Amino acid sequence: MDKIDRKILALLQKDATMPVAEIGRKVGLSTTPCWRRIQKMEEDGVIKRRVAVLNPAKVNAGVTVFVSVRTNQHNESWLKKFASVVEAHDEVVEFYRMSGDVDYVLRVVVPDIAHYDRFYQKLISEMSMSDVSSAFAMEQIKYTTALPLDFSEIEKEK
């Protein structure tokens, strides 16, 4: 990945609907070479997909809850079942296996606390967990889907 690829990615991360001709103009390429670079990055898996980023409040999903899960079952079969249960819940928008005191963290979006409670009750009825705790976000200070691209330069230097 070179400097031009990083510029293309930076533009696409800000606006994936930007026309290829405009991207090309901004990075100093004609449309066809720019399109080829984008296609190659898609084929290589650098660009996973292009999506619309929605306003949670406008789609009635304005409450964000971070759910910390601890388990005493650290085996593959439990994790597969847990992952399957989590995958079935559209409210869960992120799911991580963690190091430290907490085993898993979920980011859940819901309209209100009552909806979260229904989600929570269903989750604990579907899975055996040793501890579940929830933290409600009071305010979102920063949110971006744009990844930093400077690290790709570091990898190249190695």
Side-chain angles (χ1 to χ4, degrees):
M1 188 177 335
D2 64 13
K3 194 173 193 171
I4 293 173
D5 288 338
R6 286 191 297 276
K7 286 180 181 179
I8 291 169
L9 290 172
L11 292 168
L12 286 173
Q13 285 192 115
K14 288 180 185 162
D15 182 4
T17 65
M18 184 181 295
V20 176
E22 186 177 341
I23 295 169
R25 212 171 24 260
K26 291 184 177 206
V27 301
L29 293 174
S30 63
T31 303
T32 301
C34 183
W35 178 240
R36 283 192 197 121
R37 282 175 179 258
I38 292 169
Q39 285 182 312
K40 173 128 177 51
M41 287 187 282
E42 288 175 337
E43 290 166 8
D44 291 347
V46 175
I47 299 172
K48 289 172 62 173
R49 64 182 179 269
R50 300 184 207 193
V51 299
V53 178
L54 306 180
N55 179 334
K58 299 285 185 179
V59 295
N60 200 24
V63 174
T64 298
V65 188
F66 294 93
V67 182
S68 300
V69 174
R70 290 190 182 109
T71 182
N72 55 11
Q73 299 184 45
H74 298 278
N75 59 67
E76 188 177 341
S77 63
W78 186 91
L79 175 54
K80 281 183 178 179
K81 182 180 179 194
F82 186 46
S84 176
V85 165
V86 168
E87 187 67 34
H89 289 278
D90 291 341
E91 305 93 334
V92 180
V93 295
E94 294 181 69
F95 174 31
Y96 299 95
R97 186 169 58 89
M98 307 297 290
S99 66
D101 292 336
V102 172
D103 297 311
Y104 302 93
V105 171
L106 313 175
R107 184 167 75 90
V108 176
V109 293
V110 290
D112 53 39
I113 293 173
H115 277 84
Y116 174 72
D117 188 49
R118 284 196 289 280
F119 160 80
Y120 170 79
Q121 294 298 330
K122 190 167 185 190
L123 180 68
I124 63 172
S125 74
E126 295 171 326
M127 281 306 298
S128 171
M129 297 169 276
S130 58
D131 183 54
V132 180
S133 63
S134 307
F136 290 81
M138 302 299 292
E139 178 183 12
Q140 185 178 71
I141 308 297
K142 178 181 178 179
Y143 173 78
T144 182
T145 59
L147 297 175
L149 298 171
D150 295 340
F151 300 129
S152 60
E153 290 178 26
I154 295 168
E155 183 63 29
K156 189 177 176 183
E157 293 171 3
K158 286 184 179 180

